[in-house]
């Protein structure tokens, strides 16, 4: 027993409470009497995993339905976070049932509901001292689901119970959003009644979508903090204390764990990076991006310190319950799925709160490639409806940018937003520009820009086109279709030529013109447009009002007496050239594709930028 305890200076092991004693093979708690050391004090109340040699055969099966919990051997499928190998005779079944949940149901069902996971935390996190458990706020955990699989839902629940100090769990609230599966009916209610933590099932009746379902859960939550989780998660060792302690320190902090990846195919637990944060692209899709140097510096290089993140993924976070309501909970007008995470992110930052990714807290989530459930009225309608509610309420003048890029979205109705606008006023929230400037200066949505529209090559009358390609691939030149989409580019005030989160990038002299993730650091992505230049031609003079001519003196130009030599200039006010600064070459067309060449002022290097404006 002791051999498995990591902190060996801790001496006394006491099992607490009848329930826990009954389940001591399943969950064991121990206190320590040490007076010093990284994890001393009452916060040392820990939940540790079941000990194989302590399990009496058949014990767990008496309490839990047969075969659901791992007993005895802890080297079963998926244990240790390992990938599950579906045996050959079940492969066809796995393939067939994949579409039910959009993950490998056979693999999930093969694993114990309480499979073991290693402690994935970084060393600094394990050493960190948190406030004593008795002073941390208790949390209600709200999990909404629609047609979730039994094994993923219950594994989420078991992972919470197994890896959280019992004292911190007020309750687990399972909000069933009108599921149509037998296993989520009385079987679920009966099962959760056997668990050593209060677990309640709330039924929405009709399908109301995840946003309103979460609101239902939050409404009955008794805990000082509400922690939201998706229904296919696994919490890891020590996940809860770092989240609660941030809220304990500042109740206006909204905190997310690092979301690790549980493979949708093998259920392997794959740790995610602590160097990514949340952002969004031009379509207002949530995206993970690299944490910029600015934020690393703010944390003094300490990776165990929470990262301030511009947006959150949305599914996994904890928030002070009263603050949740003060800051406007959720927009009840949002349907089914999508957008609520950006809405909340903008709102929290603009109205005085903060959002962190707490890098000492790790929770796994099964990321799926497609959604398994129905979307009443269609995916497009729902997403466009929800997105417009964000844009109209929170984005001020930047809504024009959004609609220019996504004109089709306008056709969808978005309902009444007056109460959300009032909320913004009541909370006295800052502008979206403020948010971009202060919270998200690295945003892919340019804060200021010179142009937004097509980029037309004058000589060929063709338009720059992403051809739907990805980062690292070449940009194309196509007939201008005037439909926006792949032909919308912005020349930004950071002097990048950008389309969504990709920038025109040339990495070497003579190299191809590629699309690359915008990094915001100039370099290979910096371009100038439309500089005033003088180009030397024969027989032309530029005469000023005073009768003097523009003349060359070395590399400088000055007004001087008009003579037959040295003053023969053509003044081209608009070169319309796009000069790549690093290589000092201009964008033109070679072999049918955009390419760089020595700047020569020719028509082959002239571009008109759509939506050009003064800033
Ligand atoms: C992400 C979030 C998710 C939510 C969503 C945007 C993570 C890991 N996940 O998508 O929480 O913020 O972005 O809205 O950050 N559900 C219902 N009723 C419905 C539809 C879904 O209860 O009508 C449940 C569903 O069973 C699941 C949860 O809502 O437990 C989130 O849905 P998802 O897993 O399909 O969302 P995900 O992870 O793709
Ligand atoms: Mn999910």
């Amino acid at each position: 027993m002791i051999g498995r305890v990591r902190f060996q200076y801790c001496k006394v092991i006491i099992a607490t409470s009848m329930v826990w004693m009954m389940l001591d093979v399943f969950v064991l708690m121990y206190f320590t009497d040490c007076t010093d050391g990284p994890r001393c004090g009452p916060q040392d109340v820990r939940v540790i995993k079941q000990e194989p040699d302590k399990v009496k055969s058949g014990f767990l099966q008496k309490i839990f339905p047969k075969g659901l919990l791992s007993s005895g051997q802890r080297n079963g499928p998926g244990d240790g976070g390992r990938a599950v190998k579906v045996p050959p005779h079940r492969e066809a079944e796995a393939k067939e049932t994949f579409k039910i949940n959009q993950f490998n149901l056979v693999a999930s069902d093969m694993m114990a509901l309480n499979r073991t996971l290693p402690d994935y935390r970084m060393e600094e996190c394990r050493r960190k001292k948190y406030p004593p458990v008795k002073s941390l706020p208790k949390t209600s955990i709200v999990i909404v689901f629609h047609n979730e699989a039994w094994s993923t839902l219950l594994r989420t629940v078991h992972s919470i119970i197994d890896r959280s100090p019992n004292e911190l769990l007020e309750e687990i609230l399972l909000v069933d959003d009108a599921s149509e599966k037998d296993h989520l009916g009385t079987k679920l209610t009966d099962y959760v009644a056997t668990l050593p933590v209060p677990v309640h099932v709330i039924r929405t009746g009709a399908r109301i979508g995840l946003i309103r379902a979460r609101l239902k859960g939050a409404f009955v939550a008794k805990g000082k903090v509400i922690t939201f989780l998706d229904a296919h998660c696994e919490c890891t060792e020590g996940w809860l204390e770092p989240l609660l302690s941030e809220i304990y320190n500042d109740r206006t902090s909204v905190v997310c764990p690092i979301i690790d990846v549980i493979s949708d195919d093998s259920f392997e637990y794959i740790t995610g990076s602590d160097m990514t944060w949340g952002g969004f692209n031009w379509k207002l899709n949530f995206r993970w991006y690299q944490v910029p140097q600015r934020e690393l510096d703010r944390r003094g290089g300490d990776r165990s310190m929470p990262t301030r993140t511009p947006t959150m993924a949305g599914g996994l976070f904890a928030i002070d319950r009263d603050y949740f309501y003060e800051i406007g909970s959720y927009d009840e007008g949002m349907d089914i799925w999508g957008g609520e995470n950006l809405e909340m992110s903008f709102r929290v930052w603009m109205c005085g709160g903060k959002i962190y990714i707490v890098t000492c807290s790790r929770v796994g989530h099964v990321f799926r490639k497609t959604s398994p459930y129905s979307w009443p009225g269609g995916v497009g309608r729902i997403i466009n409806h929800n997105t417009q509610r964000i844009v109209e309420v929170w984005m001020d003048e930047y809504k024009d940018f959004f609609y220019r890029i996504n004109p089709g979205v306008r056709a969808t109705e978005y309902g009444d937003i007056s109460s959300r606008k009032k909320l913004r006023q009541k909370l006295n929230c800052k502008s979206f520009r403020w948010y971009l400037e202060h919270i998200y200066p690295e945003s892919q949505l340019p804060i200021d820009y010179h142009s937004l529209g097509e980029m037309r090559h004058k000589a060929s009358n063709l338009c720059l086109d992403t051809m739907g390609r990805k980062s690292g691939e070449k940009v194309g030149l196509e007939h201008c279709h005037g439909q926006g989409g792949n032909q919308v580019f912005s020349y930004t005030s950071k002097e990048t030529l950008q389309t969504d989160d990709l920038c025109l990038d040339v990495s070497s002299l003579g190299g191809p013109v590629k699309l690359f993730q915008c990094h915001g650091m100039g370099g290979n992505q910096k371009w100038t447009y439309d500089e005033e230049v003088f180009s030397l031609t024969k027989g032309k003079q530029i005469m000023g009002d005073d009768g003097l001519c523009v003349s060359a003196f070395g590399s400088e130009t000055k007004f001087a007496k008009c003579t037959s030599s040295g003053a023969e200039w053509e003044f081209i006010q608009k070169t319309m050239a796009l000069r790549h600064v690093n290589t000092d070459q201009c964008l033109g067309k070679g072999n049918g594709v955009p390419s760089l060449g020595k700047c020569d002022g020719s028509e082959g290097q002239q571009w008109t930028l759509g939506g050009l404006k003064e800033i």
Side-chain angles (χ1 to χ4, degrees):
M1 169 78 234
I2 292 282
R4 274 203 61 195
V5 178
R6 263 185 302 294
F7 310 101
Q8 294 183 355
Y9 42 82
C10 304
K11 288 189 225 143
V12 187
I13 300 164
I14 312 165
T16 52
S17 90
M18 267 314 288
V19 183
W20 290 108
M21 277 170 71
M22 248 181 64
L23 293 168
D24 69 350
V25 287
F26 169 43
V27 186
L28 210 93
M29 308 191 68
Y30 65 94
F31 294 90
T32 74
D33 66 349
C34 50
T35 50
D36 200 3
R39 288 205 59 110
C40 283
Q43 74 270 29
D44 268 340
V45 178
R46 306 283 308 140
V47 176
I48 60 165
K49 284 171 233 119
Q50 173 184 354
E51 287 307 303
D53 51 351
K54 290 263 183 161
V55 179
K56 297 175 202 81
S57 162
F59 172 83
L60 288 160
Q61 276 68 26
K62 280 189 196 136
I63 303 173
F64 300 108
K66 207 170 180 305
L68 295 170
L69 283 174
S70 162
S71 60
Q73 51 105 13
R74 298 297 285 160
N75 210 7
D79 267 326
R82 285 185 295 274
V84 176
K85 185 97 197 68
V86 171
H89 73 276
R90 296 195 69 185
E91 269 167 16
E93 180 193 352
K95 206 170 166 215
E96 183 52 33
T97 54
F98 194 96
K99 55 178 171 288
I100 302 174
N101 307 94
Q102 291 300 338
F103 54 64
N104 188 337
L105 184 60
V106 170
S108 179
D109 287 352
M110 281 170 64
M111 288 157 50
L113 293 182
N114 62 341
R115 74 147 154 183
T116 58
L117 290 177
D119 184 346
Y120 294 107
R121 291 170 299 175
M122 55 185 120
E123 198 49 46
E124 299 92 298
C125 294
R126 291 184 216 181
R127 282 202 305 263
K128 232 174 222 188
K129 279 197 169 187
Y130 294 104
V133 164
K134 63 174 182 301
S135 53
L136 283 177
K138 274 190 159 195
T139 185
S140 297
I141 301 201
V142 173
I143 299 171
V144 303
F145 59 91
H146 176 72
N147 288 345
E148 188 65 42
W150 174 266
S151 52
T152 43
L153 176 63
L154 272 302
R155 195 171 302 109
T156 308
V157 172
H158 277 289
S159 76
I160 297 165
I161 299 175
D162 288 5
R163 304 198 185 93
S164 315
N166 190 39
E167 293 88 330
L168 292 178
L169 295 180
E170 179 73 49
E171 64 201 340
I172 299 173
L173 302 170
L174 302 179
V175 187
D176 168 17
D177 186 13
S179 299
E180 301 128 338
K181 307 267 174 196
D182 282 348
H183 64 253
L184 299 170
T186 50
K187 182 181 170 190
L188 177 66
T189 345
D190 291 348
Y191 181 84
V192 298
T194 67
L195 297 172
V197 163
V199 185
H200 307 292
V201 182
I202 298 154
R203 314 277 182 186
T204 62
R207 177 92 179 272
I208 58 176
L210 79 92
I211 295 129
R212 291 188 277 256
R214 280 191 196 149
L215 282 169
K216 266 201 186 297
F219 188 74
V220 299
K222 293 198 292 285
K224 176 138 177 38
V225 168
I226 304 175
T227 303
F228 294 95
L229 294 178
D230 272 10
H232 30 261
C233 290
E234 283 175 73
C235 302
T236 70
E237 200 66 38
W239 74 288
L240 189 57
E241 296 94 320
L243 296 177
L244 297 181
S245 95
E246 284 306 316
I247 296 174
Y248 171 81
N249 291 335
D250 179 351
R251 63 184 286 279
T252 68
S253 292
V254 179
V255 291
C256 315
I258 289 184
I259 308 180
D260 290 326
V261 176
I262 300 170
S263 159
D264 58 349
D265 183 36
S266 70
F267 279 76
E268 182 181 3
Y269 192 105
I270 304 154
T271 51
S273 166
D274 62 289
M275 300 292 265
T276 50
W277 73 358
F280 53 87
N281 66 8
W282 283 9
K283 295 187 188 71
L284 292 184
N285 302 126
F286 171 86
R287 285 281 177 274
W288 300 106
Y289 295 114
Q290 193 84 21
V291 178
Q293 193 59 40
R294 176 179 69 84
E295 175 60 11
L296 300 179
D297 293 345
R298 189 192 65 81
R299 292 147 79 216
D302 180 356
R303 291 167 69 164
S304 73
M305 256 179 73
T307 300
R308 280 164 61 119
T309 180
T311 71
M312 61 172 170
L316 290 58
F317 68 97
I319 183 168
D320 179 278
R321 192 193 56 211
D322 294 340
Y323 185 64
F324 178 66
Y325 288 106
E326 272 166 52
I327 200 77
S329 61
Y330 273 128
D331 177 356
E332 267 188 88
M334 286 189 167
D335 281 344
I336 305 295
W337 185 101
E340 92 293 342
N341 52 336
L342 290 197
E343 192 270 343
M344 186 163 205
S345 304
F346 297 166
R347 177 159 46 85
V348 166
W349 279 120
M350 286 164 65
C351 311
K354 25 216 118 55
I355 306 172
Y356 289 104
I357 293 172
V358 178
T359 50
C360 285
S361 172
R362 287 184 172 272
V363 177
H365 169 261
V366 184
F367 285 92
R368 295 180 279 204
K369 292 174 191 80
T370 40
S371 164
Y373 37 74
S374 65
W375 294 68
V379 179
R381 186 198 68 79
I382 291 166
I383 302 284
N384 293 347
H385 170 97
N386 291 355
T387 310
Q388 280 187 99
R389 294 184 71 89
I390 312 176
V391 171
E392 292 289 336
V393 177
W394 297 101
M395 288 178 64
D396 307 328
E397 71 271 25
Y398 291 89
K399 80 175 187 188
D400 299 335
F401 187 97
F402 176 79
Y403 287 128
R404 286 276 292 274
I405 304 301
N406 310 284
V409 173
R410 271 218 148 104
T412 309
E413 54 67 46
Y414 57 84
D416 180 11
I417 50 164
S418 56
S419 68
R420 300 307 284 179
K421 284 193 148 170
K422 266 195 212 119
L423 170 82
R424 180 171 168 182
Q425 244 171 9
K426 189 186 94 194
L427 294 174
N428 208 2
C429 309
K430 298 200 167 72
S431 68
F432 196 71
R433 171 177 275 270
W434 175 90
Y435 166 80
L436 290 179
E437 283 176 347
H438 294 89
I439 307 303
Y440 199 13
E442 300 80 8
S443 162
Q444 305 300 335
L445 197 74
I447 299 177
D448 291 302
Y449 53 95
H450 300 285
S451 74
L452 180 65
E454 64 182 24
M455 278 176 65
R456 194 183 285 256
H457 181 238
K458 208 154 173 232
S460 66
N461 210 23
L462 296 175
C463 276
L464 212 65
D465 196 309
T466 68
M467 322 286 287
R469 291 179 187 143
K470 296 190 290 287
S471 183
E473 298 180 344
K474 283 187 203 164
V475 68
L477 209 48
E478 282 295 313
H479 286 284
C480 302
H481 55 49
Q483 305 289 302
N486 293 346
Q487 294 187 353
V488 179
F489 285 80
S490 178
Y491 181 51
T492 72
S493 61
K494 289 181 181 168
E495 299 185 292
T496 59
L497 288 164
Q498 183 171 347
T499 179
D500 207 334
D501 52 7
L502 301 176
C503 279
L504 285 201
D505 189 301
V506 182
S507 56
S508 61
L509 193 66
V513 184
K514 287 186 174 177
L515 295 163
F516 214 84
Q517 283 283 334
C518 303
H519 48 55
M521 292 186 293
N524 295 337
Q525 300 183 350
K526 189 168 176 174
W527 303 78
T528 59
Y529 179 64
D530 205 21
E531 292 166 309
E532 291 187 7
V533 296
F534 298 96
S535 75
L536 188 59
T537 56
K538 277 264 171 281
K540 283 188 183 167
Q541 293 194 334
I542 302 163
M543 196 183 283
D545 291 344
D546 49 6
L548 294 177
C549 282
V550 178
S551 306
F553 291 91
S555 61
E556 283 185 42
T557 50
K558 288 181 183 166
F559 282 101
K561 192 166 174 279
C562 299
T563 58
S564 58
S565 68
E568 295 158 345
W569 294 89
E570 185 184 12
F571 180 55
I572 303 174
Q573 208 156 14
K574 298 206 183 302
T575 62
M576 299 168 91
L578 284 162
R579 190 173 65 89
H580 184 249
V581 175
N582 259 7
T583 56
D584 193 23
Q585 293 206 324
C586 284
L587 188 65
K589 175 171 162 259
N591 293 330
V593 293
S595 63
L596 286 187
K598 193 171 181 318
C599 298
D600 58 14
S602 70
E603 209 182 25
Q605 291 182 351
Q606 292 180 7
W607 296 82
T608 46
L609 302 188
L612 196 61
K613 60 174 182 134
E614 291 293 320
I615 50 167

